[in-house]
Amino acid sequence: MQRVSVLLRPVLRATAPARRPRLYQSEFCHRPFGTSRPWLAVDQRRVAGKLQIVTIDDKLAQFNLDEKIDTRQVRVKTADGKISPPVDLRRVLGSIDRTTSHVLQLSKPGEHDYAIVQVVERADLIKQIKDKEAAQRRVQHAQKDKKPKQIELNWAISPNDLQLKLRQMEDFLRKGKKVEILLASKRRQRKASQEEAETLLKTLKEKIQELGAVEVTPMEGGLLRQAKLTVKMP
């Protein structure tokens, strides 16, 4: 008996195209025409923004090291301070461990026919960089500390706000800071009377005397105008 093979083709059901979600007016009525979607704006800012990362190798680039030395023949300064006869730079580089040591140019570029160099440890150069950065930070902090702290007061200041400002002044003075007290009338606010201004100034001077501080210079300006008191601890 002969078998008959029958191929059955699957019936392909016509699938309806996927419907796009309807956008109702409430979904975009608050977004101006032509503006990008919020998540796209965030991605664009992240791509456009650049984060500068400074590596140790970037910092070491301030030195003339290894292949950056400007003469092919160099004179090497030894540990005892002696200067060798001219020698090929490649020979010096080949004699050191490049992972832990560098050849440092001591002379200025173009100063000699043969650059004067010295073999130095990478760790020593990194320490030198860190010490320099620490010294710069100390100078910046010292300059910041010398700058007077400023406290702004309104001639019509409320009693509670005045007590807060007085505590702030006391804190600065006890830390050894010089304090500039700036007095002025604020726009669109109640103007203080002559009596209120005199009382405020008297309160300030009494507090300064109580803390043992002194006025560096006489008050600049006048009552109900812009004025400045500069005080510090003796």
Side-chain angles (χ1 to χ4, degrees):
M1 182 176 179
Q2 188 177 4
R3 293 184 179 181
V4 179
S5 299
V6 180
L7 297 178
L8 298 178
R9 292 184 179 180
V11 178
L12 298 179
R13 181 177 297 176
T15 57
R19 292 185 178 182
R20 298 180 62 183
R22 296 179 62 185
L23 296 178
Y24 295 93
Q25 185 177 2
S26 60
E27 296 182 47
F28 57 87
C29 61
H30 297 294
R31 181 162 56 89
F33 178 77
T35 57
S36 59
R37 294 181 177 87
W39 59 87
L40 292 180
V42 171
D43 290 341
Q44 289 171 356
R45 286 195 296 268
R46 288 178 180 174
V47 172
K50 294 182 180 179
L51 179 62
Q52 185 180 9
I53 300 176
V54 180
T55 64
I56 289 296
D57 288 330
D58 293 331
K59 295 180 179 181
L60 287 173
Q62 62 185 282
F63 301 104
N64 272 7
L65 299 175
D66 306 330
E67 285 80 9
K68 288 177 60 179
I69 294 172
D70 58 351
T71 61
R72 298 303 91 192
Q73 295 283 320
V74 297
R75 302 183 67 186
V76 182
K77 183 178 181 180
T78 59
D80 56 2
K82 295 181 179 180
I83 306 296
S84 74
V87 61
D88 192 86
L89 175 61
R90 290 176 297 180
R91 180 180 174 185
V92 180
L93 291 173
S95 66
I96 65 173
D97 183 353
R98 300 292 296 273
T99 61
T100 59
S101 302
H102 292 282
V103 178
L104 170 67
Q105 181 171 343
L106 302 178
S107 59
K108 296 179 181 179
E111 186 177 11
H112 301 288
D113 294 335
Y114 304 102
I116 299 176
V117 302
Q118 186 176 25
V119 177
V120 295
E121 295 295 322
R122 179 182 176 89
D124 292 338
L125 290 178
I126 294 174
K127 183 178 182 301
Q128 183 178 341
I129 292 172
K130 290 184 176 180
D131 290 344
K132 182 179 179 181
E133 291 176 346
Q136 291 174 344
R137 286 193 296 269
R138 287 193 295 270
V139 171
Q140 292 173 354
H141 290 163
Q143 292 175 346
K144 185 178 180 180
D145 290 340
K146 289 181 180 179
K147 188 176 180 180
K149 297 294 184 180
Q150 291 186 339
I151 298 177
E152 296 182 359
L153 295 180
N154 178 14
W155 284 111
I157 189 171
S158 66
N160 290 337
D161 289 343
L162 176 58
Q163 292 303 315
L164 179 64
K165 296 291 185 178
L166 291 177
R167 286 195 296 270
Q168 189 178 9
M169 179 185 71
E170 179 178 356
D171 183 58
F172 287 147
L173 289 173
R174 293 196 183 281
K175 290 180 179 178
K177 309 291 185 182
K178 184 187 293 185
V179 180
E180 289 181 350
I181 304 170
L182 307 178
L183 299 116
S185 298
K186 291 189 177 181
R187 295 180 180 180
R188 300 179 182 178
Q189 290 192 10
R190 183 181 69 83
K191 301 297 181 182
S193 64
Q194 181 79 15
E195 182 180 356
E196 287 176 319
E198 291 175 352
T199 302
L200 173 59
L201 191 58
K202 180 182 177 182
T203 302
L204 285 173
K205 290 181 176 293
E206 288 176 350
K207 186 64 176 179
I208 292 169
Q209 186 177 5
E210 175 189 332
L211 295 173
V214 294
E215 296 184 36
V216 178
T217 57
M219 186 181 76
E220 302 175 20
L223 288 176
L224 298 176
R225 296 186 290 117
Q226 289 186 353
K228 181 172 74 172
L229 277 171
T230 304
V231 297
K232 69 174 185 178
M233 298 297 283

